Amino acid sequence: MSTLLEQSCRVALAALLHDLGKFAERARIPEAEQRDTHGTTRLDLNVPLYCPAFQGRHTHIHAAYTAIAMDLLEQHFPELVGEDMTPFAPWREKNADDSLINAAACHHKPDTFLQWAIATADRLASGFEREEFARYNEGTEETSTKKNHYTARQLTLFEQIRLDSAGTNRLEWRYSLKPLSPETIFPCKADGYEQDDKEAAQQEYRALWTNFIGGLRAIPPSHRGRLPLWLDHFESCWLTYAHAIPAATAFGVKPEVSLYDHSKAVAVLAVALWRWYADQGTATDHARDQLRLMWDRARQGTPEAEQIWHEPTFLFIQGDFWGIQDFIFAIGGETQRQAAKLLRGRSFYVSLLMECAALKVLESLNLPSTSQVVNAAGKFLIVAPHTDQAIDRLRAVQCELNQWFLDHTFGQSGIGLAWLPAAASDFRRSDQGQSPFRDLMTRLFEQLETAKLQRFDLCRSNSAPAAFIGFLDRFDNTKGVCAIDGRSPAAVRLEGDQAVWVSELAYDQIMTGKWLAGFDRILITRQNLDHQTLRLPLFGYWVSFTADEEATGRFGKEAASGNLVRAWDFSLPVSEDRPLWNGYARRAINAYVPHFGDMSAYDEERYKGLERPASEEEPKTLNHLARDDRRRDPEKPERWSGVEALMTLKGDVDNLGLIFQKGLEQPTFAKMAALSRQMNAFFAMWLPWACRNAFPNTYTVFAGGDDFFLIGPWRSTMRLAQHMRDKFCEYVAGNPDIHFSAGLSMTKPGLPIRELARRAEEALEKAKEHTSKRVNGTVTHKNAVTCFDVPAAWDDFDDLITREAELTRLTAEHRLSTGYLYDLLAFTEMAGKVTERPENAIWHSRFAYHTRRLAETKIKRGGSRDAIERQRRALQEALASEIAGNGIGKHGAAYKIALFTLLYQQRD
């Protein structure tokens, strides 16, 4: 018999591909028109089997295409027919009534329990009310944009979110129908792209279909024998090619959710629903009758139907990594010496811990990878069946997670689990003006906040004190305390210029930072491979870094033995338009780190006096980064200008909870999953690519979910902040209600990493407080940045950088003295406090006096007295217009941003 996990994977695959026919139909695959010996096409044979009939016509023809397409792709899939396809029909015939293919294709015309499970999940993922779905099932293929299923292109959810501003009925942005890449996650203008030419639209789909087939071939054939492993790969492939295919194009709906996001949501719910019945031994015709009853318009409102509708069938499981900053920025005696590798290693290690914790939950509940809705920024969401057995296993997993963190971080950080039951009725997008799904989202947010206050379950458990019994016995007097964190028992000798003893966790973090530079894949195994393998198993899983299969020759063997649980590709994008698909399950958990590369003589001189790198692949140290914005003085080549400093950039999306809870007019489970994925993609996918391509001296400490933490040369990082803001505006289709705030903190390179983080956090909080306001009882934070300890709205910041450019031009043109520029700082300070001290309004007079003196000093010759006076007045007017008018007068104290930017570039 198949294992319960394999059975769950089959249900997930059927659900994931239930709308494969939409892709195939729009591509007009020629196989659908192939004729049998009687002259009947395959499509004509399949339509009566899978498509509902209404008023003498068949609707939802894509269902017939699903069956055809799955038959065509079978050669690239694990076995879909055979003696044991549990829970599907065990016969060899493909046309078995309860086959996997039929379960996928019959979602608009369900008959068996498995078909009804997928059909129900399909409806719940879209948030249908029961009466509403019946009308949808009779609808025609036309969208709210008046395009048909061939010509309609996907809308962006971001454009439709509204918190403060008024919305618009005309949606102007679409996603291009291309594979996933850093370029194609951005929307484009509908005008000039979306068209009415059906033939051209079909050709675009056909090209994407051909690429999809090629992508399937890239999955290692040796992994097909392990369905859970293969399914994880396939989902990444499906995401790559279906992320911009609109899922719904009938009944006048908005084509706003991708085929990937919808089908993923259906797979999540279908597995949980099937398992709820299967785990209780009731996955029978009785279960089919219950689901059929729940959707029967004639029986709605009866006690039997309502009981099923409101039964808490699903269990939402949230994971939350608390203490992330303490984990990443922990300090000790050798922390600064290993800063670069530690930063990179610890940040990546957080993602590893979250991925392995989620994997532990999935495997403990016998759920496939597709049951994980999202895993980003230290949080994950999984949907499971709501059973007593599931809750008992979750409690056991929580105990194991607690023990790991108590053993290795002594309770300074951890991963907490929280769960919440949900019923089918909770997925409705609207009900008499209310939104049951929005209420469910609110309860999820509230429940996670409560769980954060119950860390390690200290009020009801003795596990934490017991964990520290014998703590001192773990120390070896010859090795002492870990030189990295200053508290853990040292266990491993870290070789280097000055060898030190460190804990196993610190050693793994440093080696992670090292191996990330040379490898792009990770193997998660049950047994130690002893192949670039971390010393500490993570919740029972061993983590190994590796090259591609050809280089190691080990993937297939480990997969066949069952030792290989997951194989993840975490490589960074190599080009803006290349599809993010390399044949393996993809995890966007890597961050860009600058390397020395091939240093020029210019670089050698700039880094003079600093430690030379051991190789080109060596990551740059923070000391080197601090010098990367220094430039040779063109007039004095031996002189380097520009301050030697770092800039730390920390930020997050404003009002994220409000966006998810109230931003969408009619939220659904599929929309929530899509919004989470897309929000994460900007920071986890595009930002590392942008750093690699345009800002190569930037350390991405972490970036994902809705937040980011970067370190780089001070001036370049300011430019990066501006670039990020501009691109994020583009990413969210110019929506004025979606934005992020950021804090920029300038420091010398020798400052401890924890102090860098603290100062950046303070700068971020200052930015948010600068423009916060109350909307309907909720405080919202508005679109601001702090730089040089001065907060400003982003539009003002952009203008201040423009002012700095003008001031730089004036300084060069008129050779403004450093003393004059420093006087401007004093005037700026006065202007910023006029409200508190009205006498400070005298700043303008002082500015005029100092500017007049400057003009008299600079211009002493040049003709007659009148000519000299005209030149002086012209200079006064130019400086007054730019500095007093466009600068201090307009921006007040914030003009210091422009002044400091100029002054720091002039320092030796």
Side-chain angles (χ1 to χ4, degrees), residues 154-377:
Q154 187 181 320
L155 306 175
T156 167
L157 291 170
F158 290 122
E159 187 178 12
Q160 304 173 61
I161 289 172
R162 287 294 174 264
L163 300 180
D164 299 343
S165 62
T168 175
N169 292 327
R170 188 169 186 269
L171 299 176
E172 300 177 352
W173 296 85
R174 304 291 186 272
Y175 290 109
S176 58
L177 195 66
K178 295 177 181 178
L180 186 71
S181 71
E183 178 183 57
T184 59
I185 62 173
F186 285 81
C188 60
K189 281 284 190 176
D191 292 343
Y193 174 61
E194 194 175 45
Q195 55 188 316
D196 294 321
D197 186 337
K198 186 170 72 172
E199 201 54 48
Q202 291 171 355
Q203 289 177 6
E204 196 173 16
Y205 267 109
R206 199 168 301 125
L208 188 65
W209 176 266
T210 300
N211 289 333
F212 171 57
I213 301 300
L216 278 178
R217 295 191 183 102
I219 300 177
S222 61
H223 292 194
R224 290 182 200 161
R226 292 291 171 178
L227 187 53
L229 177 63
W230 180 90
L231 185 62
D232 196 25
H233 298 329
F234 175 77
E235 186 191 336
S236 291
C237 180
W238 186 233
L239 165 63
T240 302
Y241 296 100
H243 79 106
I245 298 175
T249 56
F251 191 43
V253 300
K254 292 180 181 178
E256 58 191 355
V257 175
S258 76
L259 184 58
Y260 166 79
D261 289 305
H262 173 70
S263 59
K264 170 69 180 286
V266 173
V268 167
L269 298 179
V271 171
L273 184 61
W274 168 71
R275 282 286 301 280
W276 188 78
Y277 284 101
D279 289 356
Q280 300 177 83
T282 58
T284 61
D285 287 346
H286 175 67
R288 174 201 61 189
D289 295 340
Q290 282 193 319
L291 295 179
R292 179 184 288 161
L293 172 64
M294 184 171 72
W295 294 99
D296 188 343
R297 278 190 287 184
R299 303 287 299 278
Q300 288 172 23
T302 63
E304 297 86 354
E306 294 308 300
Q307 179 181 354
I308 305 166
W309 187 235
H310 296 288
E311 179 74 44
T313 308
F314 306 95
L315 190 65
F316 279 69
I317 305 163
Q318 299 181 93
D320 179 54
F321 195 126
W322 52 266
I324 287 183
Q325 302 233 18
D326 288 333
F327 188 89
I328 293 178
F329 303 118
I331 58 175
E334 291 290 318
T335 304
Q336 285 303 106
R337 288 176 56 84
Q338 303 288 342
K341 290 178 182 176
L342 271 175
L343 269 181
R344 187 179 193 189
R346 285 174 172 172
S347 176
F348 193 85
Y349 206 87
V350 167
S351 298
L352 280 180
L353 286 167
M354 287 304 293
E355 289 289 348
C356 289
L359 180 58
K360 190 70 178 181
V361 171
L362 291 170
E363 289 211 318
S364 70
L365 301 178
N366 289 299
L367 293 174
S369 59
T370 52
S371 290
Q372 177 177 274
V373 181
V374 66
N375 192 333

Side-chain angles (χ1 to χ4, degrees), residues 513-569:
K514 175 183 177 181
W515 288 333
L516 282 172
F519 302 102
D520 287 330
R521 290 193 182 127
I522 279 179
L523 304 182
I524 306 296
T525 57
R526 304 191 191 282
Q527 304 296 324
N528 189 348
L529 292 180
D530 195 23
H531 176 75
Q532 286 96 231
T533 303
L534 300 182
R535 291 179 64 93
L536 288 177
L538 304 184
F539 321 126
Y541 302 110
W542 294 90
V543 179
S544 302
F545 291 79
T546 187
D548 56 38
E549 185 167 8
E550 289 73 20
T552 64
R554 302 182 68 160
F555 291 12
K557 177 183 176 182
E558 299 300 334
S561 70
N563 187 34
L564 183 61
V565 183
R566 294 286 189 270
W568 292 328
D569 170 27

Side-chain angles (χ1 to χ4, degrees), residues 697-865:
N697 293 315
T698 304
Y699 255 105
T700 311
V701 180
F702 59 76
D706 73 309
D707 61 353
F708 51 91
F709 188 105
L710 311 167
I711 301 175
W714 72 276
R715 187 64 183 93
S716 296
T717 305
M718 290 174 66
R719 294 190 184 97
L720 171 58
Q722 282 187 284
H723 184 60
M724 285 179 62
R725 191 256 179 163
D726 292 342
K727 294 299 289 186
F728 191 71
C729 289
E730 179 185 339
Y731 188 73
V732 299
N735 189 331
D737 288 351
I738 310 178
H739 37 73
F740 64 76
S741 293
L744 287 156
S745 174
M746 186 175 179
T747 59
K748 286 293 185 180
L751 214 59
I753 295 298
R754 182 183 286 272
E755 182 63 15
L756 297 185
R758 186 189 67 79
R759 293 189 183 192
E761 181 65 32
E762 287 181 355
L764 175 58
E765 289 305 312
K766 197 168 188 176
K768 287 181 175 289
E769 291 169 3
H770 178 64
T771 50
S772 65
K773 69 177 184 178
R774 188 172 293 275
V775 178
N776 298 326
T778 301
V779 175
T780 60
H781 303 286
K782 301 292 293 181
N783 210 11
V785 60
T786 297
C787 186
F788 303 123
D789 206 34
V790 179
W794 271 111
D795 288 342
D796 291 337
F797 183 77
D798 288 343
D799 187 57
L800 285 163
I801 299 304
T802 301
R803 305 276 65 80
E804 181 267 328
E806 278 299 299
L807 186 57
T808 298
R809 182 187 63 78
L810 289 171
T811 300
E813 182 179 339
H814 301 289
R815 295 188 176 275
L816 303 182
S817 68
T818 303
Y820 177 78
L821 296 174
Y822 273 100
D823 286 340
L824 297 181
L825 284 173
F827 305 149
T828 299
E829 190 70 28
M830 291 176 66
K833 297 180 179 179
V834 169
T835 303
E836 303 165 29
R837 301 182 62 182
E839 63 269 26
N840 278 358
I842 200 172
W843 73 266
H844 206 292
S845 298
R846 291 186 177 179
F847 166 79
Y849 171 74
H850 280 258
T851 302
R852 175 63 188 183
R853 286 190 60 188
L854 174 77
E856 290 174 349
T857 302
K858 292 289 184 184
I859 305 174
K860 296 180 178 180
R861 299 181 179 85
S864 66
R865 181 178 298 179

Side-chain angles (χ1 to χ4, degrees), residues 594-719:
H595 296 85
F596 283 100
D598 185 13
M599 288 204 304
S600 64
Y602 187 86
D603 292 325
E604 293 275 5
E605 184 66 25
R606 180 163 51 190
Y607 299 146
K608 188 175 181 179
L610 297 179
E611 182 180 356
R612 289 181 58 84
S615 70
E616 294 181 1
E617 293 302 316
E618 189 77 13
K620 285 188 177 182
T621 71
L622 299 185
N623 289 323
H624 290 85
L625 290 183
R627 292 191 183 182
D628 275 331
D629 275 345
R630 304 192 78 205
R631 296 290 181 267
R632 284 192 186 278
D633 189 322
E635 297 182 0
K636 299 179 181 178
E638 74 282 357
R639 176 179 175 267
W640 288 82
S641 62
V643 67
E644 183 177 337
L646 296 169
M647 188 73 85
T648 305
L649 170 60
K650 189 176 192 299
D652 59 44
V653 175
D654 300 319
N655 320 313
L656 186 70
L658 209 58
I659 288 171
F660 275 92
Q661 294 177 53
K662 300 180 180 179
L664 292 171
E665 182 181 358
Q666 291 191 329
T668 67
F669 182 56
K671 288 182 189 178
M672 181 273 292
L675 198 59
S676 297
R677 177 185 65 80
Q678 290 174 321
M679 188 69 79
N680 178 64
F682 180 83
F683 299 105
M685 184 186 302
W686 175 82
L687 182 54
W689 157 249
C691 290
R692 182 178 192 169
N693 183 55
F695 299 89
N697 293 315
T698 304
Y699 255 105
T700 311
V701 180
F702 59 76
D706 73 309
D707 61 353
F708 51 91
F709 188 105
L710 311 167
I711 301 175
W714 72 276
R715 187 64 183 93
S716 296
T717 305
M718 290 174 66
R719 294 190 184 97

Side-chain angles (χ1 to χ4, degrees), residues 421-463:
S425 58
D426 289 320
F427 290 88
R428 294 170 294 168
R429 57 191 175 200
S430 63
D431 179 28
Q432 298 179 350
Q434 301 298 314
S435 173
F437 185 75
R438 180 177 285 125
D439 294 341
L440 174 62
M441 289 297 300
T442 300
R443 297 203 310 272
L444 279 172
F445 275 94
E446 292 172 348
Q447 187 232 23
L448 191 58
E449 290 303 311
T450 300
K452 289 179 180 180
L453 304 177
Q454 301 172 341
R455 298 171 181 176
F456 295 114
D457 202 16
L458 295 179
C459 294
R460 293 182 293 174
S461 169
N462 294 321
S463 61

